[in-house]
Amino acid sequence: MTLRQRQEEREHLSLSPFAAFSDQSKGREVYEEPCDIRPIYQRDRDRILHSKAFRRLKHKTQVFLAPQGDHYRTRLTHTLEVSQTARTIARALRLNEDLTEAIALGHDLGHTPFGHAGERALNRVCREGFEHHLQSIRVVEFLEKEGAGLNLTKEVKDGILNHQTKGKPATLEGKIVRLSDKIAYINSDIDDAIRAKILTEIELPEEIISVLGNTTRKRLDVLIHNIVMNSENINDIRMSPEIELAMGDLRKFMFTHVYTNPKAKGQEAKAEHLLEQLFEYYCEHVELLPEEYIKMIENEIADRERVVCDYIAGMTDRYAISKYSELMVPNFWNIY
C-alpha cells in the first residue's frame, strides 16, 4: 500500500460522509498514473501553486489601482485570504481541505490586469465576451504549460468555474470557496478603504455592524462561525437568514461607497482605454504576440480575438502599462 492510499484510507475514517473523497474523484480529462505520495486534490493544489498564472497574481489589482502603500491587497493576497478562510471552514466541517485549497488558489487565475475594470474592457471589445471565471478555466485547461494545461480534476475545475455569485458548485468544498470569496473581499476591501481614507468604521451602517461586528476580526469571526454552525452534519453550506442578509447589505454598501467611489476608481477609465487599445493593436498585429499564442491561431485552436484576450488577460498591471508605452508612446530619437 502506498503512502497516498494510506492517506485516502484516513480520509474515510476522519472526514464527513458529505466530503469529496480523493479516491472517489471523477478524475482528469487525460488519465495520469496516481502519485505514490499525494492524493489527487493535493496534486492539483501543487500544480496551481507552481503555475505561472498564480505567480502573476501578485502584480494584479484587487480593488485599488496603483495605490500608494505596501499594505493594500493584490489579487494574490486576496487569493490567499480566500484560501485561509475556506480551509478554516472545511476543517471545522471535516471536509476535504486539499480540494478546498486547490479551488481557492485557482479561482482567480483568469483575472485581468486592473481588476474588474480590465474585465469590463475585454468584455466590451471581444465579440465572444469575457468573464474571469471562464478565463480561469481556459488558463488551467489550455494556456498553462504552453498549451498543455494543468490537467486538473473535474472537481477542482467545477469549483473554479462556479465560484461567482450565480454559480452552483457540485461539491461542498466548492460552496465553501464561493462564500469565502465574498467574505474575504468584502472585509479586506473595507480594511483597504479605511487605509485609503475613503471611509471610516463609524460610517458603516449601524444596522449591519450590530449584527456582524464593528471590526474586521469580529466580522470574520461571526461569518465563519455562522457558516460552520449552520452547515454541520448536513449536505449543504449555508448561513442563517439574518447573517446572510446582513452580509448582502454590507456588500451593497461597499458597491455604493467604495467600488464606485471616484477616489478609488478614478483611474479606471484610463486602464480600460489602455487595454482596449492593446486589444485593437494586437488584433491588427498578431505577429507581435508571443510564439505560443501565434501557434494557437495558426493551428486554429482559437480565433484571433480570443487569443489576443488570452494574452492581455494574462498580463500584470505593470506589464500592460509597459507594453502600452512600448507600442503606443513615440520614442524620442537619440540624436547625440
Side-chain angles (χ1 to χ4, degrees):
M1 181 178 292
T2 65
L3 291 174
R4 184 202 79 252
Q5 290 171 323
R6 291 176 186 172
Q7 291 184 69
E8 290 169 349
E9 278 196 351
R10 286 197 293 271
E11 285 184 3
H12 286 279
L13 295 174
S14 62
L15 296 186
S16 162
F18 304 116
F21 295 100
S22 299
D23 61 356
Q24 294 177 0
S25 169
K26 294 179 181 178
R28 311 179 187 280
E29 292 296 330
V30 179
Y31 175 78
E32 297 178 21
E33 285 294 327
C35 176
D36 61 342
I37 295 177
R38 297 169 296 167
I40 196 166
Y41 301 133
Q42 183 184 345
R43 203 175 184 190
D44 280 5
R45 187 277 311 273
D46 295 348
R47 290 180 181 187
I48 292 169
L49 190 64
H50 290 288
S51 68
K52 291 186 292 186
F54 183 80
R55 294 196 294 275
R56 290 196 298 267
L57 295 178
K58 68 179 178 179
H59 293 302
K60 291 191 176 189
T61 291
Q62 175 62 15
V63 171
F64 293 87
L65 293 180
Q68 297 299 310
D70 295 330
H71 300 127
Y72 291 89
R73 270 74 172 186
T74 65
R75 190 62 58 179
L76 178 60
T77 55
H78 161 72
T79 295
L80 296 177
E81 289 177 357
V82 174
S83 178
Q84 184 272 331
T85 296
R87 285 189 59 195
T88 297
I89 296 170
R91 182 176 296 185
L93 294 174
R94 296 188 298 119
L95 299 176
N96 195 311
E97 283 188 63
D98 288 337
L99 174 57
T100 304
E101 187 175 20
I103 295 169
L105 294 180
H107 83 281
D108 269 354
L109 291 179
H111 236 300
T112 61
F114 310 120
H116 288 284
E119 184 170 10
R120 288 194 300 270
L122 292 184
N123 188 49
R124 276 198 301 270
V125 295
C126 184
R127 282 176 293 183
E128 293 182 6
F130 183 93
E131 295 180 84
H132 79 270
H133 64 285
L134 298 177
Q135 188 67 17
S136 294
I137 294 297
R138 283 188 62 78
V139 168
V140 300
E141 286 188 339
F142 304 117
L143 300 180
E144 276 292 322
K145 299 178 69 174
E146 299 183 353
L150 300 180
N151 197 28
L152 302 180
T153 59
K154 294 179 181 179
E155 292 81 7
V156 171
K157 291 194 294 184
D158 170 83
I160 291 173
L161 180 64
N162 288 289
H163 78 269
Q164 76 279 19
T165 299
K166 62 185 178 182
K168 295 181 179 180
T171 63
L172 297 190
E173 290 81 0
K175 291 181 179 181
I176 288 174
V177 173
R178 179 177 169 273
L179 277 178
S180 297
D181 184 30
K182 294 180 180 61
I183 291 171
Y185 75 68
I186 291 172
N187 285 285
S188 63
D189 294 347
I190 291 173
D191 188 44
D192 282 352
I194 291 171
R195 178 173 291 108
K197 302 187 186 306
I198 290 173
L199 58 80
T200 64
E201 283 280 2
I202 61 174
E203 292 179 273
L204 298 174
E206 176 59 33
E207 64 273 18
I208 297 175
I209 297 309
S210 63
V211 175
L212 297 182
N214 61 357
T215 67
T216 298
R217 179 179 178 180
K218 289 179 181 177
R219 285 189 293 273
L220 289 173
D221 187 67
V222 168
L223 290 165
I224 291 171
H225 272 81
N226 190 263
I227 292 172
V228 172
M229 294 303 106
N230 284 276
S231 305
E232 278 191 303
N233 301 316
I234 62 171
N235 191 20
D236 198 10
I237 302 297
R238 62 193 185 192
M239 297 177 171
S240 66
E242 179 189 24
I243 297 298
E244 185 175 19
L245 178 62
M247 189 174 82
D249 288 343
L250 184 56
R251 185 170 178 265
K252 292 175 185 176
F253 172 86
M254 291 296 290
F255 269 97
T256 302
H257 292 80
V258 176
Y259 302 144
T260 57
N261 187 301
K263 186 173 180 181
K265 300 298 186 178
Q267 300 296 309
E268 285 194 348
K270 295 179 183 178
E272 292 180 33
H273 178 72
L274 184 154
L275 292 191
E276 289 171 355
Q277 291 291 102
L278 284 178
F279 178 85
E280 292 177 10
Y281 189 89
Y282 279 116
C283 281
E284 294 177 5
H285 301 280
V286 293
E287 72 278 3
L288 297 180
L289 293 170
E291 184 178 355
E292 63 264 31
Y293 293 92
I294 295 174
K295 287 181 178 179
M296 289 175 66
I297 298 172
E298 291 176 346
N299 296 332
E300 298 183 348
I301 296 174
D303 65 28
R304 176 181 302 214
E305 285 194 2
R306 178 51 57 190
V307 171
V308 171
C309 262
D310 289 338
Y311 179 50
I312 294 175
M315 293 179 177
T316 62
D317 295 17
R318 63 186 185 181
Y319 186 74
I321 294 170
S322 173
K323 296 306 290 185
Y324 181 86
S325 298
E326 175 188 322
L327 298 171
M328 307 295 181
V329 179
N331 293 319
F332 290 104
W333 289 356
N334 184 359
I335 60 177
Y336 298 104

